[in-house]
Each structure stands twice: as structure tokens, then as C-alpha cells.
Amino acid sequence: MIDGFASLYIFMLAAFLGFEIISKVPVVLHTPLMSGSNFIHGIVVVGAMVALGHADTTVEKVIGFIGVFLGAANAVGGYVVTERMLEMFKSKKDSKKDSNAKGQEKAA
Amino acid sequence: MIDLIMKLAYFVASILFIAGLRRMTSPKTARSGIVWAGIGMLIAVGATFLLPGLQNTLLIVTALFLAAVWAWYQGKRVPMTDMPQMVALYNGMGGGSAAAIGAYALVNALQHADACSAGAISGGHDCLHGIVGWLAVIGAFIGTVSFSGSLIAFGKLQGWIDKRYTFPGQHIFNALVTLAALWLGYLVVQQPDAQLIIAFFVVSFLLGIFMTLPIGGADMPVVISLYNAFTGLAVAFEGFVLGNEAMIIAGTFVGAAGTLLTQLMAKAMNRSLFNVLFGSMAAKGEAAAVTGSMKPIDSMDAAVQLGFADRVVIVPGYGLAVAQAQHKLWELVKMLQDRGVDVKFAIHPVAGRMPGHMNVLLAEAGVPYDLIEDMEDINPQFPNTDVALVIGANDVVNPAARDDPNSPIYGMPILEVDKAKNVIVVKRGRGTGFAGIENPLFFKDNTRMLFGDAQDVVTQLIQELKEL
């Protein structure tokens, strides 16, 4: 267990880090970044696992089960969607290489 | 020992999340970034199984498995054009998960109320005092709002909810609902009670719906991004409740990054966040009446104009994406290039449904990077452009945003296609755009309207060009 003030410091530092990292980003990456950060808060599944793992009564189990399901869907779905978006950057880079290569051929 | 391994695993996962998102901020390293973060997630989930005294393992595995299969299938299947609403949906589920953790903590506290001293609340099996109870409630509140709000955003983008529901005094009503939710939250912390807990969640859930319903579809990306930040915060708060460092760091990190991203998006659309949330898009005065008439053109004349132009700038919009015409369009562009026409794509920062969305769609069709120009670079070039071909874009080329102070979108930066020598607008019908605003561009003397579905029109243009 971490004590109150240590957590407060973690909170503050993580917040600054989040601002810093996003502050210089090309517009093209806004959507993938939203999706990527959406994936990262899928870490909530871990907390839901802890909750379900400690659940005794039926009510707790139902709540925990819903929590794990929703959290895992957030993580897995977020990953798949982000990966598909970023896959596009591969083809973009490759096609750029292609067009560069073509340009060089023409020049030659 | 096991405790140490778990802490270490969460530590490594946190590093991978941060480093991963850092890599995602540059196009070169972006693809490895998500893989890094993904490995971090696997490590964190795997380590959690080591937790001493973990029960219900079968239930956990079942939930994980079902969710993974469903989300994987949905995420792979959905077309690229529908990505924004999928982000909304998954984000809402994350918010729901955070809310569930809060609900668990509250229910747990309720059941162990006797064992715990007064005014304390239990998380896990420990009685945790004061602030933690508040954090559980606040996290649950934010998570629930994010959950229901994201579902509405999903419904709006999916086209299931196509109206904006507004009524007089809505903001006051929403403020009262917010106060009611917070008051119930306060009561829940003070004196856990099953009915109070249920009421608290129901009111929070309704608040998310009420908050999102009046917001117009054009503002949805900003709203989704905001709810993304919300979910991050909710995860961080529930992380405090459970004493889980990975959740605190990742949640706070996403909360901050998401907030800034939301501001950047709102800025790109020249809308303040306050305006998006509270100023339903109502014009201040009477917008200038549009005079003149739309002048249609057929695909043959359009093909001639394009084929014999020196410089063509194409402005793709969401209509192009909906018609899945980006591949055909690229075919058309290659034909024009073979005829020696200089062709560029002009992308508005919010073309499509989200910033960068259109770039992704064009890249998917194989359009090279160097043909795509940003708004700042292309705007000075329009006066030298022979034909500006607008396909399925409307609000982002609306000159009223520049000229008419009474227009609801006044001040939004636009692509100044009206300055091109000729403008051809490919549009499905005569209706208004996403924001529901009349576009004077369509009535200008140098504008011709080519009515039809983008896919059909581009196919016809290709046919006509072949015969030139």
C-alpha cells in the first residue's frame, strides 16, 4: 500500500507526463493517439480482476464479472482498433518509398 | 516474494504504457508503440493472477475470454470509416468497468459495515478510511457518466440517434442532475445503503445520457476524446481505492493526455470545450440568407474540366469515406497524373469524423504521403488552382465560416476552395451538412454541383476520362 502523499506525487507526475507527451503531436496522429490512450486505460481490467477475485456474495460476483468483461473488452478492442489504424501508417510509409523509388527511376 | 513480483510487473507495465504512447506520437515509431503498450497490458494482467487469495479464477478467465473474443471480432470486422464510434464504445466499456470497481467497493463496504468503524469504507477486505471512500464514489461517478455518455456518442455516430434533443432550461436541469448525483454520492459515503447506491448509479447514468444527447454530431469527436479522459481519471481514482499503482499511473496519464488531446481537437475545430458541452450550436443572429441557385454539371463536362486542367486540388470529406470511394478516387487521380495534371489532396484537420481520420483513409487506399497537403499549406495555392474537386465535404469548405459573423460555424478555419477558378462539388443531395448549415459555396458562380453517390460519380468520371 502506498501512503497518501506518495500517491499524490504519482498523480501529479503522471499528469504532467501525459500533458508533455501529447503537447507536440502532428494532427494526423490525433485519432490513433486517442485510440491508443483508450487502450491504455484498459488497465482497468486488472482492478476489476482484483475485485472479482475477492468477491464473496453473488451481488459482488455479478458486479465483478461485469467489470472484468467491460474492462477486457476495452483493452482488447482498444488494441485491435489502434493497431488497425496504425497499420495504415505502414502502407503510407511503404507507398512513399515506392513513389520515391519511382521518382529516382525517372530521374535516372 | 510474490508481492514483489507483482509490484515489479506493474512497474514494468507502467513504463511500457508511457514509452508506448510516447512512441505513438511520431508516425515512424507509432506502430511499435501500440505493441509495447500491448506487452505491458499482458504483463499486468498475467501478474494479477498471482495475487494471493485470488478466488473465482474460473469466472475471471471466462469474463476475460468472452470479452476478448467479442472485442477482437468486432474490432477486426468494423470498416475503417466506423472507427470513431468503436473507440467510443470501447471507451464507454472501460468507464463502465471503473464504475463496476467503485460499485464493488461500495457494496463490499456495505456488507462489512459492522466490521468497519463508522465513516470508513472498505476496499478489498480492508477497511479504508475517509478519502478512499470519496475516491471510490468520484471514480464511480465519472466512470458511469463516461459509460452512458460514450454509448450515446456511439449511437449518434452509428446513426441510431440522429436528432439533437434540446429543451429550454436544459443546462439548469443538467446542473441539478449533477448535484443530485453528487449529493447521493455524499450520502453513500456517509451511510452505505443498498438503495442509495442504486440511486446514485442510476442518476449518474442518466446524467451521461442527458449531457450527450443535446450535443451535435459534428462535435462528437471532441466529446469522445473528453470521455476518454474521463475514463482515464475514473480508472486512476479506482486505482487509489485498490492501491494499484499501474491503474493510478496509466489512468492519470491517460486522463491528462486525453484532456490535452480534447483541447487540441476543439481548437482544430475552433470550438471551445465549454461551447461544445454547453453552447448547443445555435446561431446568435440570423445567418445571412443564401442567394442564387445551385448549378448542376454532368460527369462528362466535369471530366473534361478535370482532364484539361493544369492544377487540380481534391478536397475529400466524410461523404467519400461513407461511399468507400477512396480507392476509386486514387485510380482517377492516377489517370489525371498520367495526363500531366498536377493533383493534390487538401485535408482539413477535422475532415472525416476525427482529426487525422481522412489521412488514415487515404493511406489505406494507397495515396502517397507527399500528395497530401495540410490546410495551412494548401490555402494560399487555391487562387492558382484550375479545379477544386470537393467530394463529400461540406462544412469544412463553407465560406460562411470566414465571411458571416452570424453563422454558427463562424471562425472555424476552412479550406478556401471558393478562391479556386472552378469548383466542382460532388454531393449526394441538396441537403445541408453534418452541422445542418447552408453552404453559400454551392451557390457561387464558379461552382458546379455534380450530384450522386461519391463512388458512382468517381466511377463515371473515370469512364469519361478514358474516352477523352
Side-chain angles (χ1 to χ4, degrees):
Chain A
M1 198 74 227
I2 32 183
D3 75 78
F5 260 94
S7 338
L8 210 56
Y9 276 105
I10 294 181
F11 191 78
M12 177 205 53
L13 290 171
F16 270 104
L17 199 60
F19 275 113
E20 274 307 305
I21 283 186
I22 295 297
S23 60
K24 28 193 182 285
V25 187
V27 175
V28 196
L29 280 162
H30 280 180
T31 302
L33 267 174
M34 188 211 289
S35 182
S37 55
N38 175 43
F39 162 69
I40 287 174
H41 67 53
I43 187 69
V44 69
V45 68
V46 164
M49 283 169 69
V50 172
L52 179 54
H54 287 148
D56 301 317
T57 62
T58 314
V59 179
E60 286 180 357
K61 280 181 192 170
V62 170
I63 294 172
F65 189 86
I66 294 172
V68 175
F69 181 87
L70 293 177
N74 180 186
V76 174
Y79 185 88
V80 173
V81 166
T82 312
E83 210 224 351
R84 275 186 61 191
M85 283 185 192
L86 294 174
E87 191 74 15
M88 300 306 139
F89 283 93
K90 180 179 130 200
S91 68
K92 178 178 279 181
K93 265 196 295 178
D94 291 349
S95 55
K96 193 184 177 183
K97 265 182 221 154
D98 290 349
S99 67
N100 284 348
K102 269 181 207 158
Q104 280 160 4
E105 274 167 29
K106 270 184 195 165
Chain B
M1 184 61 193
I2 284 175
D3 191 51
L4 187 70
I5 293 173
M6 279 188 66
K7 296 260 167 198
L8 207 61
Y10 286 157
F11 182 68
V12 172
S14 302
I15 292 176
L16 286 171
F17 287 154
I18 294 167
L21 200 72
R22 175 80 185 80
R23 291 183 81 79
M24 272 186 248
T25 57
S26 154
K28 276 186 201 135
T29 52
R31 290 181 65 238
S32 63
I34 185 66
V35 176
W36 284 33
I39 294 171
M41 189 70 72
L42 285 179
I43 292 174
V45 170
T48 307
F49 277 107
L50 299 176
L51 188 73
L54 195 79
Q55 308 155 15
N56 306 323
T57 322
L58 188 66
L59 275 180
I60 294 177
V61 174
T62 312
L64 286 177
F65 178 77
L66 288 178
V69 170
W70 176 82
W72 187 274
Y73 174 74
Q74 286 292 332
K76 284 282 182 199
R77 202 189 54 122
V78 66
M80 284 304 288
T81 39
D82 291 351
M83 283 298 175
Q85 52 261 50
M86 287 317 282
V87 174
L89 182 63
Y90 294 139
N91 173 59
M93 296 180 90
S97 183
I101 296 173
Y104 165 81
L106 293 174
V107 170
N108 198 278
L110 183 66
Q111 275 153 1
H112 299 87
D114 300 337
C116 299
S117 55
I121 232 171
S122 137
H125 278 303
D126 311 312
C127 292
L128 303 170
H129 291 264
I131 187 80
V132 177
W134 284 105
L135 289 172
V137 166
I138 296 170
F141 170 66
I142 301 174
T144 312
V145 169
S146 173
F147 176 61
S148 56
S150 296
L151 290 186
I152 298 293
F154 170 79
K156 286 213 170 200
L157 286 173
Q158 193 80 351
W160 293 348
I161 308 166
D162 52 0
K163 252 180 70 188
R164 283 169 45 205
Y165 297 86
T166 48
F167 56 87
Q170 194 160 26
H171 301 320
I172 298 165
F173 176 75
N174 282 356
L176 288 177
V177 177
T178 311
L179 285 179
L182 292 177
W183 179 67
L184 284 165
Y186 169 79
L187 291 183
V188 164
V189 176
Q190 292 301 314
Q191 194 66 56
D193 172 89
Q195 276 160 352
L196 276 179
I197 293 175
I198 293 170
F200 164 70
F201 277 102
V202 169
V203 174
S204 304
F205 186 85
L206 290 176
L207 177 64
I209 295 177
F210 293 150
M211 262 176 72
T212 323
L213 275 179
I215 299 172
D219 285 329
M220 270 312 135
V222 180
V223 174
I224 296 173
S225 179
L226 182 70
Y227 284 140
N228 185 38
F230 270 21
T231 305
L233 267 186
V235 171
F237 284 144
E238 300 305 337
F240 279 115
V241 175
L242 297 171
N244 185 311
E245 295 88 342
M247 279 172 72
I248 299 176
I249 289 179
T252 313
F253 181 59
V254 170
T259 307
L260 189 58
L261 203 55
T262 310
Q263 282 171 351
L264 291 176
M265 283 188 184
K267 217 174 112 194
M269 306 167 92
N270 198 36
R271 309 261 290 135
S272 77
L273 199 52
F274 183 84
N275 245 307
V276 170
L277 290 178
F278 303 111
S280 16
M281 260 207 186
K284 290 182 212 89
E286 196 65 26
V290 182
T291 52
S293 60
M294 294 191 189
K295 291 163 278 293
I297 187 174
D298 64 25
S299 54
M300 198 173 84
D301 290 339
V304 170
Q305 273 201 12
L306 289 169
F308 291 99
D310 290 326
R311 283 179 48 85
V312 170
V313 174
I314 298 178
V315 180
Y318 190 64
L320 173 89
V322 169
Q324 297 290 332
Q326 60 267 38
H327 299 271
K328 277 278 173 211
L329 180 63
W330 176 222
E331 207 181 314
L332 175 73
V333 169
K334 280 189 285 194
M335 285 179 72
L336 287 173
Q337 284 178 328
D338 288 343
R339 297 177 60 95
V341 183
D342 177 26
V343 187
K344 287 270 164 56
F345 286 88
I347 309 261
H348 191 272
V350 294
R353 280 293 181 267
M354 283 192 181
H357 192 198
M358 190 53 64
N359 304 63
V360 170
L361 293 172
L362 287 180
E364 186 195 22
V367 177
Y369 209 56
D370 44 358
L371 288 189
I372 300 176
E373 301 265 356
D374 287 340
M375 186 172 63
E376 293 81 17
D377 301 327
I378 199 81
N379 265 345
Q381 300 180 28
F382 276 116
N384 305 320
T385 300
D386 297 311
V387 183
L389 179 64
V390 178
I391 305 185
N394 189 342
D395 298 325
V396 296
V397 293
N398 191 339
R402 183 191 58 211
D403 303 330
D404 180 6
N406 286 329
S407 170
I409 55 168
Y410 180 69
M412 184 177 93
I414 56 159
L415 289 161
E416 299 182 320
V417 282
D418 56 324
K419 294 194 173 156
K421 289 171 194 153
N422 296 289
V423 183
I424 299 175
V425 178
V426 178
K427 207 166 167 304
R428 260 203 319 197
R430 290 164 186 267
T432 52
F434 209 38
I437 302 156
E438 201 66 76
N439 192 339
L441 173 74
F442 302 159
F443 301 90
K444 280 181 67 97
D445 290 336
N446 59 344
T447 304
R448 293 292 176 273
M449 305 299 290
L450 186 47
F451 289 112
D453 173 79
Q455 172 102 14
D456 299 340
V457 167
V458 174
T459 311
Q460 282 165 21
L461 286 175
I462 291 173
Q463 285 302 327
E464 299 288 352
L465 262 183
K466 274 183 191 155
E467 289 164 21
L468 272 184

